[in-house]
Amino acid sequence: HRQIILTATMAKLLAVATAASLLTKTSAFSPPPRQDNAILSQSSAAEYSLRRPSPLFLSGGFGGISSSKSGSGSKKTKSSSKSNNDRKGTKKLTPREAERAKKQLLQRYGGDIQSGTQERIQNSLSSLPAPLQEAAKLYKEITQFEALIAPMTPADRNRLVPTIQFEMFQNDKLKLKALTEAHGYNERDLHNIYQRITWDASADAKAVGADIAGNKMKPELQERVSRACSIAVGATLATEESPRGKLLDVGCGHGAIVSSLVEAGLTEPDMYVGIDLSPEMVRNAVERYGEERNGRTGKGRVFVADDFFAHDFSVYAEGNGGSEEGVFDSIIFCSSLHDLPDMEGAISKAVSLLRPNGGKLVIVHPQGAMHVIGQHQANPVMVSRGLPTANEWIDLIEKFSDWGLSLEHVPADPRSDGDIKDGYLAVFKKT
């Protein structure tokens, strides 16, 4: 048996230990070991070849927002696209349209969204090559066990967890090490498998749900996202040091914040680049927001399905000597930083992509830091840890002084009144 059999007393102690851990500072970062707006290359998401799939660049499709609306993000130019305010992704569906969309979605998921999503996930996992499938299974079991025992004291571990369970855990780690060495996998690969498969499976449901709601959250959550988008867009204003006006949306999903960015002033579509690990999420984003073009340049939004850590962002460097350094004026992580396998590495990568002298890094989660801790407890395979606390950010900025970051907005800590009232927002300026 591969699960710990918990007595009622053990379950209570584990609950107490878990609750106690939330009152302490979260652990420090621990990184794992180691366009022309057309489809440039594509690999099947279901195949998951041992090599990293080529990036999938996408634009075009249906949806989008008229750039004829004035805003502070760029000089107003005439758009080559007509207003698309009646298209999905930009306006709340009528009751009849919503009912039809729900019916079609249920058909695509076999009559039930939850079970249909799980079936998609299981089918994708089962289609993996045998060694990768075994490695992913071991990674999941090891990660879940480590998360289970993490809040326990050494004494509680020895008292509550059977010795045989620790032996099985160590054996699993040895098996996983042998597989990773034999096939060239690493923890990031295995983490990304679960991320990609899960988001691919749920992409249609999440995108259609957003269509039905007019791509708006609950008012208090939308207000938090809008505030973060305004800060990010503010850094794209053209200056002598930065005439480009480029914004990067990391973990863009189905284009969840595109409308909010446009409302904040990112009026020209070619100012936007979105990246997500899930090809299905990106497909949905393109269908909703990929059609519009800048009437002056003829270019539109770019959505790319690729690994943020491995993607070559130099392709967006206009007149930057072919380097990806300083390509973007602002980078925003909206409800996505916690999904990445290495938060410290993600920040380091983002910093390298930001222009100096005012580039902005914005990290927002409208539901707050405590919500993310709950996600970590429920599914440590997908969410490896909570969001960084204020003290952790201060320590990191001091530790990595070469990042050149200054903290302009301090995020509220878990369980604080600020976290409940305002959610999580951290804003940094690159000097």
Side-chain angles (χ1 to χ4, degrees):
H1 298 287
R2 304 194 63 82
Q3 295 181 343
I4 299 176
I5 301 175
L6 300 176
T7 64
T9 301
M10 287 170 62
K12 287 182 180 179
L13 287 171
L14 284 175
V16 171
T18 301
S21 71
L22 299 180
L23 301 178
T24 62
K25 180 179 176 181
T26 55
S27 60
F29 288 105
S30 53
R34 297 236 35 119
Q35 68 243 117
D36 115 286
N37 299 325
I39 297 177
L40 302 184
S41 58
Q42 183 172 7
S43 58
S44 171
E47 291 176 2
Y48 295 99
S49 63
L50 304 188
R51 298 185 304 275
R52 184 175 70 86
S54 300
L56 175 62
F57 294 83
L58 293 170
S59 190
F62 303 97
I65 300 170
S66 173
S67 66
S68 60
K69 181 179 178 182
S70 63
S72 61
S74 66
K75 183 179 179 180
K76 183 167 65 175
T77 60
K78 184 178 180 181
S79 171
S80 61
S81 298
K82 295 180 180 180
S83 174
N84 295 311
N85 288 336
D86 59 338
R87 299 184 180 181
K88 62 183 179 179
T90 62
K91 183 179 179 181
K92 188 173 182 178
L93 302 182
T94 66
R96 179 176 294 182
E97 291 171 336
E99 189 61 34
R100 183 168 62 247
K102 288 178 183 178
K103 184 177 180 180
Q104 293 172 345
L105 186 65
L106 283 172
Q107 290 175 344
R108 295 170 73 175
Y109 279 83
D112 183 82
I113 302 297
Q114 184 173 354
S115 61
T117 300
Q118 290 303 317
E119 183 178 356
R120 289 183 176 195
I121 291 172
Q122 190 54 51
N123 288 342
S124 293
L125 288 171
S126 299
S127 72
L128 296 174
L132 188 55
Q133 191 174 152
E134 177 64 15
K137 179 182 177 182
L138 289 168
Y139 172 76
K140 178 180 179 180
E141 291 171 350
I142 290 169
T143 301
Q144 289 175 331
F145 183 79
E146 288 176 334
L148 178 67
I149 65 174
M152 299 183 189
T153 65
D156 283 341
R157 293 181 189 181
N158 293 333
R159 183 163 50 89
L160 298 175
V161 184
T163 302
I164 190 172
Q165 192 71 30
F166 278 109
E167 293 174 352
M168 294 168 64
F169 168 66
Q170 294 299 332
N171 287 335
D172 284 349
K173 290 179 71 174
L174 291 174
K175 290 178 185 177
L176 180 59
K177 181 180 178 181
L179 278 170
T180 56
E181 290 178 350
H183 298 278
Y185 311 144
N186 58 43
E187 287 192 25
R188 192 176 83 189
D189 296 331
L190 300 176
H191 174 91
N192 284 351
I193 282 173
Y194 283 103
Q195 285 284 335
R196 187 183 301 146
I197 285 176
T198 300
W199 293 119
D200 276 352
S202 61
D204 291 337
K206 289 187 174 295
V208 172
D211 292 341
I212 293 171
N215 206 31
K216 295 289 185 181
M217 302 179 183
K218 293 179 180 179
E220 65 273 17
L221 301 182
Q222 183 60 48
E223 182 179 352
R224 298 167 191 177
V225 171
S226 296
R227 179 187 182 191
C229 288
S230 294
I231 295 171
V233 170
T236 67
L237 294 172
T239 64
E240 291 183 4
E241 294 83 7
S242 175
R244 292 184 299 278
K246 288 282 190 182
L247 179 146
L248 176 64
D249 178 7
V250 182
C252 64
H254 54 80
I257 65 170
V258 170
S259 292
S260 296
L261 289 168
V262 172
E263 290 174 0
L266 198 73
T267 53
E268 293 299 352
D270 56 350
M271 296 171 70
Y272 175 93
V273 176
I275 186 168
D276 199 281
L277 191 63
S278 164
E280 287 301 305
M281 280 290 187
V282 167
R283 176 183 59 79
N284 275 282
V286 170
E287 289 179 353
R288 287 156 177 80
Y289 301 105
E291 184 178 76
E292 187 195 8
R293 295 290 181 272
N294 181 324
R296 179 173 53 84
T297 66
K299 297 179 179 180
R301 297 184 184 93
V302 174
F303 296 94
V304 56
D306 201 6
D307 181 354
F308 171 67
F309 292 97
H311 186 63
D312 180 8
F313 288 91
S314 65
V315 295
Y316 316 109
E318 301 173 6
N320 201 33
S323 170
E324 68 175 17
E325 293 187 7
V327 171
F328 297 99
D329 297 280
S330 62
I331 298 176
I332 185 168
F333 292 80
C334 182
S335 302
S336 60
L337 181 62
H338 60 284
D339 286 330
L340 297 174
D342 175 6
M343 285 194 189
E344 184 179 303
I347 300 304
S348 182
K349 173 79 172 182
V351 168
S352 72
L353 299 174
L354 271 180
R355 68 169 170 85
N357 302 318
K360 291 290 180 72
L361 173 62
V362 180
I363 300 164
V364 59
H365 197 297
Q367 292 166 296
M370 195 63 217
H371 177 83
V372 177
I373 289 178
Q375 289 181 310
H376 166 65
Q377 291 178 325
N379 194 343
V381 177
M382 289 286 287
V383 182
S384 60
R385 55 151 290 158
L387 290 167
T389 65
N391 285 335
E392 283 182 311
W393 282 124
I394 292 170
D395 291 344
L396 278 169
I397 291 174
E398 182 178 349
K399 177 181 178 182
F400 296 98
S401 57
D402 59 321
W403 284 355
L405 289 181
S406 60
L407 183 57
E408 291 195 329
H409 187 279
V410 180
D413 286 337
R415 291 188 181 276
S416 68
D417 291 340
D419 190 51
I420 296 171
K421 180 182 177 182
D422 300 318
Y424 185 96
L425 176 63
V427 180
F428 304 86
K429 179 180 179 180
K430 184 174 179 181
T431 57

